[in-house]
């Protein structure tokens, strides 16, 4: 995630302090018609070097899940080879799933040709050795034997619980089947091991990440040989205690993540508890029945099934061949036809014969299908060359070569026995690393009537307190989708609660009750009828609409109603509740401020007009590569405050993490871009040289002479470093900051646990200060980031990551409710915005009314 502070000298602001107005410079003129962005290339930017360590705060001793790695000095090289696999007829092999078995057979069969060398294989296209192989190009042929499945096929029930028939018994007695593979190994590059030692001394080269990747691949291969399921850098042992039934045909799986990290104290191995989800192994029909919670195959919703099954890996019986699902057939198995090539009896010429999938399996494969005839086939081919398989001869592949404290995981892994690690000069310690942390004091808060509030243990209480800047609510209405809600009682309690907090709430213009005859109707119908009712009675757009949902907050009604309000009542905020609680910050008010922003006395920020920008990209569900991503940017307003924000939201190509339109000039007078979440360390240079540059160009677009200063901070939550108190089972205290021993050996980063972890182990946020033209000292910068965890207006607790980034995440999540992307993905629309990432059509979100953008609607 991404936090950007821009020191602004000529930007129009909305000062909340009247005394500041006189000191502000005049606003920039309107965009000059002759403006043209500078085309000169800028000097390449790199992540900044650490300026020093922080000193403020109470010190405490901590342990962390990093294990010290010893590395002998070496002049050796890792040699990188590309791996290609082919079937006997020359068809390329998808190495996923089968690659490791083939390479193990190569190693076993051709040991002398490989000069007795061990190698690390990544399971796909890359292989690494220490020292070179005898030749730059090596070709091998191996034969793998595989037996057919002994599970019954076509034997009665969809669950496959009937007894096998005679044909099944014959198939189960078949001899082992075999396949021949050709393997080609080509030299690609060599990587000096010394690159790791150089990086630890602060001299990082382009080879460092490559060398560390080789070490990670060695660990993955080691886990694979122990029979583990590998999911990126995590591994999972096939043991019953590691699985939890989550329902819906899905299992939760506990295991471990491991990766090598360069730190201030040298190389370390980071081991963390990890979880993943797998599909319950067994017939695909059983999975669909459990997933949709229905009893019979005839009750399955095949539209939903198509989305659920897409990209799942399966096994076809009786061959045990593995495939990936690409879709479903348009027609049932008994009607779906394809062309089967057969030789004619007369002259032996190949002629295509059209027949149904059902007839093919019945007459040519001799497999009696019991219930698949009436249902779609599974497509494992491509759009133009489909390959159809009947439902009942398919099992879900649970990836079940299916891993538990971190120290125990290290001990049971037996890394010290791995020959490649030993040959690399790598040794791994067995104890947690010790680090020093500092507890930063919690910032004071300012509430109503000029009172100060002192958070304790990352929490505070608003009982008997008034809000610092309460909203005034004069025009509002209620819509009730719940038959059990007491509208009058809710209104009374709402107005009374508002008075206690300083919020003036007038009686609602109207309370709209849903017509009982529509309560069982689909969500779109219910919302449409309610909007018609509201539109017919209200004289104009209200400040906000309070919606009482029928059940849970993520009801289907929410997104549809939100979209309707944007279209029908521009500028109207929507608050949905299932209980009598009103979040006043959605209406333009503020619950509390930092005392240092009210003074104002924030280092650097309070001296010069400054904008704080938070950015995030929200993606569709895992496995849904057809759902557009939503990029959101929030920026602070009313300097010198840092607690009030406005938002801008856009769609972009699926799964694209970098925002593709921070600045998008469409004419001499219009910019359709926006200013910029979680980016990985490999993308830091893109942040500095692409995204930051776009923001600078946007500033030039407004005024060619405008040169604001910038500070860029990336916040990472998706990492695996944790901290524990050395002499206590409790979580680390809120406000704990760590910037030594396990941080980057050169770059400016630190870990911060701003919040109080109530359940489980507190996961810190990893902040990377990539760029700083503002001149923050280390202590001031860490304290300021800590303070931004206390301005989140949705709760009375410090949060784990700074509020601007949380707001950007919320804005993206709320706007994703606007469009039914699941429905759009089923059809191709010609009206989508064409993004820069591959020219993929992406549906646009509706424009937000300026009042909504500035209302903190995302709260």
């Amino acid at each position: 995630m991404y936090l950007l502070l821009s020191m602004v000298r000529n930007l129009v602001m909305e000062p909340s302090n009247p005394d500041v107005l006189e000191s502000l410079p005049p606003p920039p003129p309107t965009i000059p018609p002759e403006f043209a962005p500078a085309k000169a290339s800028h000097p390449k930017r790199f992540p900044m070097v650490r300026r020093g360590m922080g000193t403020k705060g109470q010190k405490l001793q901590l342990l962390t899940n990093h294990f010290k790695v010893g590395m002998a000095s070496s002049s050796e090289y890792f040699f990188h080879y590309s791996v290609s696999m082919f079937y006997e007829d020359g068809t390329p092999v998808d190495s996923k799933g089968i690659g490791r078995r083939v390479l193990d057979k190569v190693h076993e069969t051709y040991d002398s040709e490989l000069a007795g060398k061990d190698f690390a294989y990544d399971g796909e296209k890359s292989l690494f050795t220490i020292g070179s192989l005898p030749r730059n190009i090596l070709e091998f042929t191996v034969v793998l034997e595989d037996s057919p499945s002994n599970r019954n096929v076509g034997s009665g029930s969809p669950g496959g619980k009937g007894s096998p028939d005679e044909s099944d018994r014959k198939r189960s007695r078949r001899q082992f089947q075999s396949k021949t593979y050709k393997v080609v190994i080509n030299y690609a590059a060599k990587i000096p091991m010394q690159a790791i030692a150089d990086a630890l001394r602060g001299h990082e080269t382009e080879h460092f990440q490559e060398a560390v990747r080789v070490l990670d691949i060695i660990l993955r291969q080691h886990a694979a040989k122990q029979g583990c399921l590998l999911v990126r850098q995590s591994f999972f042992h096939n043991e019953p205690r590691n699985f939890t039934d989550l329902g819906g045909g899905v299992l939760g799986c506990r295991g471990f993540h491991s990766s090598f990290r360069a730190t201030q104290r040298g190389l370390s191995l980071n081991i963390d508890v990890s979880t993943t989800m797998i599909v319950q192994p067994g017939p695909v029909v059983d999975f669909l029945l459990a997933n949709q919670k229905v009893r019979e195959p005839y009750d399955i919703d095949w539209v939903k099934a198509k989305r659920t099954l897409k990209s799942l890996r399966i096994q076809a019986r009786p061959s045990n061949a593995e495939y990936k699902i690409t879709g479903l057939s348009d027609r049932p198995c008994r009607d779906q036809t394809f062309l089967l090539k057969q030789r004619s009896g007369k002259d032996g010429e190949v002629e295509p014969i059209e027949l149904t999938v059902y007839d093919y399996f019945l007459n040519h494969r001799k497999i009696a299908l019991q219930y698949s005839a009436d249902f779609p086939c599974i497509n494992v081919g491509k759009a133009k060359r489909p390959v159809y398989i009947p439902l009942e001869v398919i099992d879900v592949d649970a990836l079940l070569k299916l891993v538990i404290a971190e120290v125990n995981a290290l001990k049971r892994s037996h890394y010290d026995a791995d020959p490649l690690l030993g040959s690399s000069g790598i040794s791994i310690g067995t104890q947690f690393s010790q680090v020093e942390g500092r507890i930063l004091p919690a910032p004071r808060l300012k509430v109503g009537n000029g009172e100060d509030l002192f958070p304790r243990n990352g929490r505070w209480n608003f009982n008997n307190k008034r809000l610092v800047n309460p909203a005034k609510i004069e025009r509002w209405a209620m819509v009730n989708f719940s038959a059990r809600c007491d509208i009058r009682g809710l209104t009374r309690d709402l107005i009374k609660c508002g008075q206690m907090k300083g919020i003036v709430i007038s009686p609602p213009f109207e309370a709209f009750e849903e017509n009982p005859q529509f309560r069982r109707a689909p969500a779109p119908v219910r919302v449409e009828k309610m909007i018609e009712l509201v539109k017919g009675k209200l004289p104009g757009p209200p400040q906000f609409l309070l919606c009482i949902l029928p059940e849970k907050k993520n009801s289907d009604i929410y997104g549809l109603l939100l979209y309707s309000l944007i279209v029908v009542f521009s500028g109207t905020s929507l608050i949905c509740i299932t209980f009598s609680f009103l979040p006043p910050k959605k209406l333009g008010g503020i619950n509390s401020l930092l005392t240092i922003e009210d003074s104002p006395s924030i280092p650097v920020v309070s001296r010069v007009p400054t904008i704080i920008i938070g950015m995030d990209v929200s993606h569709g569900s895992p496995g849904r590569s057809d759902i557009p991503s939503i990029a959101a940017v929030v920026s602070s307003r009313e300097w010198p405050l840092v607690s009030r924000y406005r938002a801008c939201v856009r769609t972009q190509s699926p799964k694209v993490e970098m925002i593709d339109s921070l600045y998008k000039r469409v004419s001499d007078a219009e910019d359709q871009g926006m200013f910029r979440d979680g980016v990985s360390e490999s993308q830091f240079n893109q942040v500095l040289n692409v995204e930051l540059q776009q923001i600078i160009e946007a500033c030039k677009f407004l005024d060619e002479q405008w040169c604001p200063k910038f500070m860029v901070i990336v916040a990472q939550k998706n990492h695996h470093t944790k901290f524990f108190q050395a002499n206590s089972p409790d979580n680390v205290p809120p406000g704990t900051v760590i910037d030594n021993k396990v941080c980057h050996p050169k770059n400016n980063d630190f870990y911060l646990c701003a919040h109080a972890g109530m359940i489980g182990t507190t996961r810190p946020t990893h902040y990377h200060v990539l760029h700083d033209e503002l001149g923050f000292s280390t202590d001031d910068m860490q304290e300021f980031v800590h303070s931004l965890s206390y301005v989140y207006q949705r709760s009375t607790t410090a949060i784990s990551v700074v509020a601007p980034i949380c707001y950007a995440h919320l804005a993206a999540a709320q706007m994703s409710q606007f469009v039914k992307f699941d429905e759009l993905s089923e059809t191709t629309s010609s009206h989508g915005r064409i993004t820069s990432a591959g020219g993929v059509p992406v549906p646009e979100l509706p424009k937000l009314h300026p009042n909504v953008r500035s209302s903190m609607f995302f709260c």
Side-chain angles (χ1 to χ4, degrees), residues 271-314:
I271 296 184
D272 187 23
V273 175
S274 181
T275 58
T276 191
M277 291 188 293
I278 63 169
V279 174
Q280 178 80 47
V284 71
V285 169
D286 286 0
F287 165 66
L288 290 174
L289 294 176
N291 185 260
Q292 297 191 13
K293 297 179 174 60
V294 294
R295 293 185 177 182
E296 300 293 336
Y298 289 93
D299 297 327
I300 292 173
D301 182 333
W302 292 103
V303 174
K304 289 183 179 178
K306 181 178 180 180
R307 293 196 295 262
T308 302
L309 293 175
K310 189 172 183 180
S311 298
L312 282 184
R313 299 194 74 85
I314 56 170

Side-chain angles (χ1 to χ4, degrees), residues 336-595:
Q336 182 64 57
T337 61
F338 72 103
L339 294 178
L340 177 67
K341 295 180 180 179
Q342 283 192 329
R343 295 186 182 277
S344 63
K346 296 180 179 180
D347 49 17
E349 290 186 3
V350 176
E351 295 181 355
I353 302 174
E354 185 177 48
L355 72 164
T356 66
V357 177
Y358 180 84
D359 289 339
Y360 170 75
F361 273 81
L362 181 65
N363 300 319
H364 291 260
R365 299 290 298 276
K366 307 302 181 185
I367 297 176
L369 302 177
Q370 301 297 315
Y371 63 89
S372 297
D374 299 325
F375 305 121
C377 300
I378 300 294
N379 183 9
V380 297
K382 297 180 180 179
K384 295 184 178 179
R385 297 188 64 184
V387 176
Y388 296 121
I389 306 177
L391 203 63
E392 68 191 83
V393 300
I394 291 176
D395 286 335
V396 175
D397 181 0
L399 298 174
L400 267 184
K401 277 211 172 169
L402 277 187
V403 220
I404 265 198
E406 289 91 339
V407 173
N408 291 335
L410 180 64
K411 290 179 179 177
R412 71 179 297 182
S413 295
H414 303 295
Y415 288 140
D416 54 347
D418 189 281
L420 276 174
L421 281 182
S423 300
S424 305
I426 296 291
S427 60
I428 302 173
T430 58
Q431 301 298 320
F432 280 155
S433 296
Q434 294 186 347
V435 298
E436 183 178 86
R438 293 174 287 111
I439 307 172
L440 301 178
R444 280 189 300 165
L445 303 178
K446 183 71 69 175
V447 294
N449 298 329
E451 289 188 71
D452 283 339
L453 198 58
F454 297 88
R456 302 182 66 179
N457 196 34
R459 314 176 76 85
W460 58 97
N461 199 312
F462 261 107
N463 288 345
N464 304 317
K465 304 290 184 184
R466 295 171 72 88
L467 305 185
V468 69
N469 184 12
K472 187 175 183 180
I473 306 170
E474 297 174 324
R475 296 175 291 106
W476 67 290
M478 301 176 71
V479 294
N480 181 22
F481 288 95
S482 173
R484 296 178 294 175
C485 180
D486 176 9
I487 291 289
R488 292 184 179 179
L490 176 59
T491 303
R492 182 182 61 251
D493 294 344
L494 202 57
I495 293 174
K496 182 179 178 181
C497 178
Q499 290 173 343
M500 293 172 60
K501 300 302 177 187
I503 306 172
V504 178
I505 306 177
S506 300
F509 178 85
E510 184 74 63
F512 298 95
E513 295 277 2
E514 183 180 29
N515 190 323
Q517 74 179 28
F518 298 123
R519 284 193 180 131
R520 294 188 179 275
V525 175
R526 298 177 69 181
V527 171
E528 181 184 357
K529 295 299 181 183
M530 182 64 80
I531 289 295
E532 288 176 359
L533 183 63
V534 173
K535 190 176 179 181
K537 288 192 175 183
L538 286 183
Q543 282 175 274
F544 85 98
L545 204 61
L546 179 64
C547 171
I548 296 92
L549 295 175
E551 61 254 349
K552 52 190 178 180
K553 186 176 179 181
N554 60 351
S555 164
D556 289 341
I557 290 173
Y558 174 72
L560 294 165
L561 189 61
L562 188 61
Y563 180 83
S564 298
L565 285 179
I566 293 295
V567 174
V568 178
F569 296 120
S570 295
T572 297
S573 294
L574 174 68
I575 299 177
C576 292
I577 60 172
T578 54
F579 49 88
S580 54
F581 171 75
L582 176 64
K585 56 272 178 189
K586 271 197 174 183
L587 308 174
I590 291 291
N591 295 350
S592 61
L593 298 172
L594 297 170
T595 301

Side-chain angles (χ1 to χ4, degrees), residues 696-716:
I696 292 172
E697 289 178 11
C699 295
K700 295 290 185 184
F701 182 76
L702 293 172
D703 183 349
E704 195 171 1
Q705 303 304 313
W706 184 26
C707 299
K709 296 181 179 180
F710 291 93
M711 181 176 190
V712 180
I713 304 174
V714 170
Q716 287 182 329

Side-chain angles (χ1 to χ4, degrees), residues 82-85 93-97 99-100 103 121-127 213 220:
S82 64
V83 179
S84 303
M85 297 184 192
V93 176
D94 179 3
S95 57
K96 286 185 178 179
R100 291 191 187 278
L103 263 295
Y121 174 55
D122 71 350
E124 296 185 25
K125 301 287 187 183
S126 293
L127 177 150
R213 174 174 169 252
R220 282 172 52 81

Side-chain angles (χ1 to χ4, degrees), residues 206-360:
E206 69 273 13
H207 296 300
F208 167 69
Q209 292 294 344
E210 297 172 349
V212 170
R213 174 174 169 252
V214 176
L215 296 182
D216 285 332
I217 289 171
I218 293 173
L219 294 193
R220 282 172 52 81
Q221 176 173 278
H222 184 84
K225 289 182 177 180
Q226 293 183 326
C228 297
L229 163 68
L230 304 181
V231 182
R232 292 180 292 276
Q233 288 298 122
S234 296
F235 51 93
F236 304 86
H237 283 296
N238 184 17
E239 296 176 357
R241 63 179 181 175
N242 295 333
F243 298 97
T244 303
D245 190 347
L246 302 179
V250 176
L251 297 176
C253 206
R254 282 184 51 132
F256 286 88
H257 163 93
S258 67
S259 61
F260 287 97
R261 306 282 301 176
T263 68
Q264 292 139 308
R265 64 173 296 185
L267 196 64
S268 70
L269 179 63
N270 179 205
I271 296 184
D272 187 23
V273 175
S274 181
T275 58
T276 191
M277 291 188 293
I278 63 169
V279 174
Q280 178 80 47
V284 71
V285 169
D286 286 0
F287 165 66
L288 290 174
L289 294 176
N291 185 260
Q292 297 191 13
K293 297 179 174 60
V294 294
R295 293 185 177 182
E296 300 293 336
Y298 289 93
D299 297 327
I300 292 173
D301 182 333
W302 292 103
V303 174
K304 289 183 179 178
K306 181 178 180 180
R307 293 196 295 262
T308 302
L309 293 175
K310 189 172 183 180
S311 298
L312 282 184
R313 299 194 74 85
I314 56 170
Q315 284 184 331
R317 292 179 265 126
S319 67
N320 277 351
E322 293 186 0
Y323 303 98
K324 186 167 74 171
I325 297 177
T326 57
L328 299 178
S329 63
D330 296 328
R331 290 177 287 180
C333 182
R334 69 166 74 251
D335 300 325
Q336 182 64 57
T337 61
F338 72 103
L339 294 178
L340 177 67
K341 295 180 180 179
Q342 283 192 329
R343 295 186 182 277
S344 63
K346 296 180 179 180
D347 49 17
E349 290 186 3
V350 176
E351 295 181 355
I353 302 174
E354 185 177 48
L355 72 164
T356 66
V357 177
Y358 180 84
D359 289 339
Y360 170 75

Side-chain angles (χ1 to χ4, degrees), residues 50 80 89 100 136 143 148 179 296 316 319-320 361 363 374 561 626 659 711 720 736 755 790 845 847:
R50 187 188 311 278
H80 178 197
D89 62 0
R100 291 191 187 278
N136 286 346
V143 178
K179 282 188 179 179
E296 300 293 336
S319 67
N320 277 351
F361 273 81
N363 300 319
D374 299 325
L561 189 61
D626 52 347
I659 295 180
M711 181 176 190
H720 293 274
T736 299
H755 62 302
Y790 281 78
L845 294 170
K847 297 287 186 183

Side-chain angles (χ1 to χ4, degrees), residues 301 635 687:
D301 182 333
S635 63
V687 170

